[in-house]
Amino acid sequence: VWAVGIHGGAGPLRGSQLDRQQADLDATLAWAEAELRRGGAALDVVEGAVCRMEDSGAFVAGRGARPNTEGQYELDASICDGRTRRCGAVAALSGVYPPITIARAVMERTKHVLLAGDGARRFALANGFTAIGEPERFFAPGATPPGVTHGTVGAVALDQSGAIAAATSTGGTTGKLPGRVGDSPIVGAGSWADDRIGVSCTGQGEFFIRTAAAHNVAVQARDPDALLPPVLDRVLAEIAALGGEGGILAVGAGGRIAYAFNTEAMRVAVADSQGRREALIARR
Amino acid sequence: VWAVGIHGGAGPLRGSQLDRQQADLDATLAWAEAELRRGGAALDVVEGAVCRMEDSGAFVAGRGARPNTEGQYELDASICDGRTRRCGAVAALSGVYPPITIARAVMERTKHVLLAGDGARRFALANGFTAIGEPERFFAPGATPPGVTHGTVGAVALDQSGAIAAATSTGGTTGKLPGRVGDSPIVGAGSWADDRIGVSCTGQGEFFIRTAAAHNVAVQARDPDALLPPVLDRVLAEIAALGGEGGILAVGAGGRIAYAFNTEAMRVAVADSQGRREALIARR
């Protein structure tokens, strides 16, 4: 039994490069399901899937990041290993790439969970990650049109050994202040994984922090018989009550997959060992 | 009905300046209970109490902060308004003071929840906060002896209007890497407040992030009849199972106050409108 979900953010359809997003979701899903089918580890699959989505440039993460109010590119990412409950994350990371793999290095090479700002950058450079020479050439903000105000990519996987992992990465929101940290690098808000469920969120990050959205889903879905869709809807309703919007993707032990969103659309791809397979720009 | 709890961290007794800590806990509690008795707002009380604990220098927060592995002082803080569910936080903040009041400014003057690193510093300077000239003169790490590996201060209050607020601030852990962010500025990990409960945590922050400790307490205590002590013990047991230690302080609607810790000692002060009053270095 295995299952995987990948998302490319929840938001408006307007201005999106739908063809490119669809193609990159398809390709990422094909890679992830092949890995899981041949016995790959959930942790490697979510990292690899998010890495591919960061590299796409068609989503507001990685190379598709948007500059902040001072023209700087600051990226956030987190990864959670449900088997060990270890986590790693980077926030307001600039000048070095790729965020999700650096987050995993924080998890595996330090005693910390989260490194931010200049310290995160220096950790990454000291650990051999790629320095970004000219941000204006490296990033492709033109690929994500002005109408897109926020975006995130993420992946959640259950592997054949029963391990669950989750990963989330973002390139921020339009008009964010320097140093702004959203929910993507916050374990419990943007990402969560334990032995029962993995969660990756996307949307207006501040509202997902204020509702501890990912952990909120995990505790409400703790019962193995709990249906995921009503749980996701309840957490989105709590976010909406505060004035926020976005989407949530979850994969449970046993292979349940669910996603929900209260925006116009959510880019999402899912597959499992029972033959379910879909990659689409879901619309409400 | 009003209630307040203040903590000065959970950890070993060894080397602590117990007399100074006891005196500053006493004075902070006296200020907080006077404010609540005269009808002060929970949000103002937790900010003011944490500000006093930051200024003390006898706790590992504010002026008592410890330098990271490169000799820099980086501070973390968060504040949560349970009535509005708004939150503000700063992480890896350097060169400007006081952290908890800057966190409140993030909440009240931006659309964001969390600012980190250089962006947080520049936001604070642009908003008129005090620049720290010479860190070596400003901070008093000598007041917190080498045996103390981590520390945090926090406050949780219920005011006469029924509003709950929580605030947490830390000066980090010995041997932390530059940019390391612990649980103190993470809403859902180090702090939480809603209309039913407020929570402030202290301890080895990474473990409190991995267990979403503050939100974990809040969801388990959602039932108004839930007893707080068993809830706090269960969350601490989850932290201990991962290898972590620390303490938790919670104040519920109706005025319930509880604290628990799995370290040698916890510095804590509590008072309520029913006449309960204690300020002590609690030992197991």
Side-chain angles (χ1 to χ4, degrees):
Chain A
V1 175
W2 57 264
V4 63
I6 298 159
H7 72 79
L13 278 174
R14 172 168 43 99
S16 291
Q17 300 200 13
L18 299 182
D19 289 349
R20 270 188 64 193
Q21 292 185 341
Q22 179 74 53
D24 288 345
L25 273 172
D26 267 323
T28 304
L29 182 64
W31 174 83
E33 54 184 347
E35 287 296 306
L36 288 165
R37 195 175 287 123
R38 69 158 190 81
L43 189 63
D44 296 329
V45 169
V46 298
E47 182 203 341
V50 166
C51 226
R52 280 164 173 76
M53 297 287 279
E54 286 176 337
D55 282 345
S56 156
F59 305 96
V60 185
R63 285 180 176 260
R66 309 295 295 270
N68 65 25
T69 55
E70 299 192 359
Q72 305 149 337
Y73 293 84
E74 293 187 324
L75 288 78
D76 298 339
S78 65
I79 189 164
C80 302
D81 180 353
R83 192 173 42 84
T84 61
R85 296 282 297 275
R86 291 200 303 165
C87 311
V90 288
L93 176 74
S94 63
V96 60
Y97 198 84
I100 196 65
T101 305
I102 299 170
R104 183 169 176 175
V106 171
M107 176 174 84
E108 295 182 337
R109 303 182 200 175
T110 79
K111 59 184 179 183
H112 301 315
V113 166
L114 174 56
L115 296 181
D118 189 57
R121 185 184 62 81
R122 286 190 287 145
F123 164 81
L125 293 175
N127 278 270
F129 286 95
T130 307
I132 294 170
E134 294 178 60
E136 294 71 18
R137 294 170 66 96
F138 184 83
F139 292 101
T144 55
V148 180
T149 56
H150 56 80
T152 302
V153 303
V156 188
L158 165 75
D159 67 27
Q160 293 185 36
S161 79
I164 300 173
T168 308
S169 177
T170 190
T173 66
T174 300
K176 73 173 181 178
L177 293 175
R180 178 264 187 183
V181 178
D183 65 317
S184 300
I186 308 296
V187 172
S191 296
W192 183 264
D194 56 28
D195 56 355
R196 301 189 191 185
I197 197 166
V199 184
S200 175
C201 298
T202 170
Q204 295 171 313
E206 279 73 10
F207 296 90
F208 286 75
I209 296 176
R210 291 166 62 190
T211 55
H215 184 254
N216 208 336
V217 168
V219 293
Q220 292 195 46
R222 194 156 284 171
D223 181 343
D225 295 326
L227 292 173
L228 291 182
V231 168
L232 269 52
D233 287 341
R234 275 199 299 276
V235 173
L236 279 176
E238 191 177 330
I239 287 164
L242 294 177
E245 62 170 31
I248 305 174
L249 169 69
V251 174
R256 299 170 296 161
I257 308 173
Y259 58 86
F261 53 102
N262 63 359
T263 53
E264 187 180 2
M266 181 169 178
R267 293 96 183 132
V268 68
V270 303
D272 68 23
S273 51
Q274 308 307 304
R276 179 178 178 183
R277 190 186 198 285
E278 54 193 74
L280 72 163
I281 316 288
R283 305 176 192 205
R284 278 207 297 176
Chain B
V1 176
W2 56 265
V4 63
I6 297 159
H7 72 79
L13 277 173
R14 172 169 42 98
S16 291
Q17 301 201 12
L18 299 182
D19 289 348
R20 269 188 63 193
Q21 292 184 343
Q22 179 73 53
D24 289 343
L25 273 172
D26 267 323
T28 303
L29 182 64
W31 174 83
E33 54 184 346
E35 286 297 306
L36 287 165
R37 194 174 289 122
R38 70 157 191 81
L43 189 64
D44 296 329
V45 169
V46 298
E47 183 204 341
V50 166
C51 226
R52 281 163 171 77
M53 298 287 279
E54 287 177 340
D55 282 344
S56 157
F59 305 96
V60 186
R63 285 179 175 261
R66 309 295 296 270
N68 65 25
T69 55
E70 298 193 359
Q72 305 149 339
Y73 293 83
E74 294 187 324
L75 289 79
D76 298 339
S78 65
I79 189 164
C80 301
D81 180 353
R83 193 173 42 84
T84 61
R85 295 283 295 277
R86 290 201 304 164
C87 311
V90 288
L93 175 74
S94 63
V96 60
Y97 199 84
I100 196 64
T101 305
I102 299 170
R104 183 169 176 175
V106 171
M107 176 174 84
E108 295 182 337
R109 302 182 201 175
T110 80
K111 60 185 179 183
H112 301 316
V113 165
L114 174 57
L115 295 181
D118 189 57
R121 184 184 63 80
R122 286 190 287 144
F123 164 81
L125 293 175
N127 279 271
F129 286 95
T130 307
I132 295 171
E134 294 178 60
E136 294 71 19
R137 294 171 66 97
F138 184 83
F139 292 102
T144 55
V148 180
T149 56
H150 57 79
T152 302
V153 303
V156 187
L158 165 75
D159 68 28
Q160 292 185 36
S161 79
I164 299 173
T168 308
S169 178
T170 189
T173 65
T174 300
K176 74 173 180 178
L177 293 175
R180 178 264 188 182
V181 178
D183 64 318
S184 300
I186 307 296
V187 172
S191 296
W192 184 265
D194 57 28
D195 56 354
R196 301 189 190 185
I197 197 166
V199 183
S200 175
C201 299
T202 169
Q204 295 171 312
E206 279 74 9
F207 296 90
F208 286 74
I209 295 176
R210 291 166 61 191
T211 55
H215 184 253
N216 208 336
V217 168
V219 292
Q220 293 194 47
R222 194 155 284 171
D223 180 344
D225 295 326
L227 293 173
L228 290 182
V231 168
L232 269 52
D233 287 342
R234 275 199 299 276
V235 173
L236 280 177
E238 192 177 331
I239 287 164
L242 295 177
E245 62 170 31
I248 305 173
L249 169 69
V251 174
R256 298 170 296 161
I257 308 173
Y259 58 86
F261 54 103
N262 64 358
T263 53
E264 188 180 1
M266 181 169 178
R267 294 96 183 131
V268 67
V270 302
D272 67 22
S273 50
Q274 309 306 304
R276 178 178 178 183
R277 190 186 199 286
E278 54 193 74
L280 73 164
I281 317 287
R283 305 176 192 205
R284 276 206 301 173

